[in-house]
Amino acid sequence: MKKITIIMAVVMLLCTINSYGQGCVAIRQFSVLGNAVGQGNMLEKGEWNISDNYRYFKSFRHFRGNHEETNRVEDGTEVINHQHGLDFNISYAFNERVYGILSLLLQYNERSSLYEHGRTECHTISKD
């Protein structure tokens, strides 16, 4: 009981601490393995589960600390990131406890900017 009380106190303390994001949000594109357990249900022996997940992300606003640099859009110097992510998953239950999961993860990223290329013309970079 004492350990549970200490753990709960630590969790409550951590929940009251202010936290601030850092780094580029555009790099945080994650894929997930989908299966029936993650969806809150269990498969019976011989059952299949098919799932997919699509995410789209666009960023163009610039911040320095908590201050937004709105002039970047007006000046045409903003960096624009587009990200598309598709996960396709198939699960099969060999029995009530053992699943096989096949996952196909596809991603397409595009970035365009002016200031990284001498400020004379906008270039676009894509990667899939």
Side-chain angles (χ1 to χ4, degrees):
M1 185 66 177
K2 185 177 181 181
K3 287 182 182 181
I4 294 174
T5 305
I6 292 171
I7 291 171
M8 289 180 62
V10 169
V11 169
M12 290 176 60
L13 177 65
L14 292 175
C15 291
T16 61
I17 296 173
N18 289 335
S19 62
Y20 301 96
Q22 67 181 34
C24 180
V25 176
I27 66 170
R28 291 181 174 88
Q29 178 83 356
F30 294 106
S31 295
V32 296
L33 288 176
N35 62 31
V37 174
Q39 297 170 6
N41 58 352
M42 302 293 285
L43 294 178
E44 300 293 327
K45 181 179 178 180
E47 288 185 331
W48 292 86
N49 183 62
I50 299 174
S51 64
D52 63 354
N53 181 25
Y54 173 76
R55 291 166 315 284
Y56 170 73
F57 176 80
K58 176 185 177 184
S59 68
F60 64 94
R61 297 168 60 190
H62 294 267
F63 291 86
R64 192 173 305 269
N66 61 359
H67 170 72
E68 182 178 1
E69 297 177 350
T70 56
N71 64 307
R72 296 286 301 268
V73 174
E74 297 163 4
D75 298 341
T77 60
E78 78 272 27
V79 175
I80 304 171
N81 296 297
H82 294 274
Q83 292 183 340
H84 300 268
L86 175 64
D87 305 337
F88 183 74
N89 305 289
I90 299 175
S91 302
Y92 177 77
F94 295 105
N95 59 44
E96 288 79 18
R97 295 182 181 195
V98 179
Y99 292 0
I101 301 172
L102 177 65
S103 185
L104 177 63
L105 314 169
L106 304 170
Q107 187 166 339
Y108 176 80
N109 300 303
E110 186 175 289
R111 176 181 173 93
S112 64
S113 67
L114 177 70
Y115 79 94
E116 293 172 340
H117 304 282
R119 297 183 186 262
T120 57
E121 55 186 277
C122 187
H123 292 269
T124 300
I125 301 167
S126 62
K127 180 151 178 76
D128 46 62

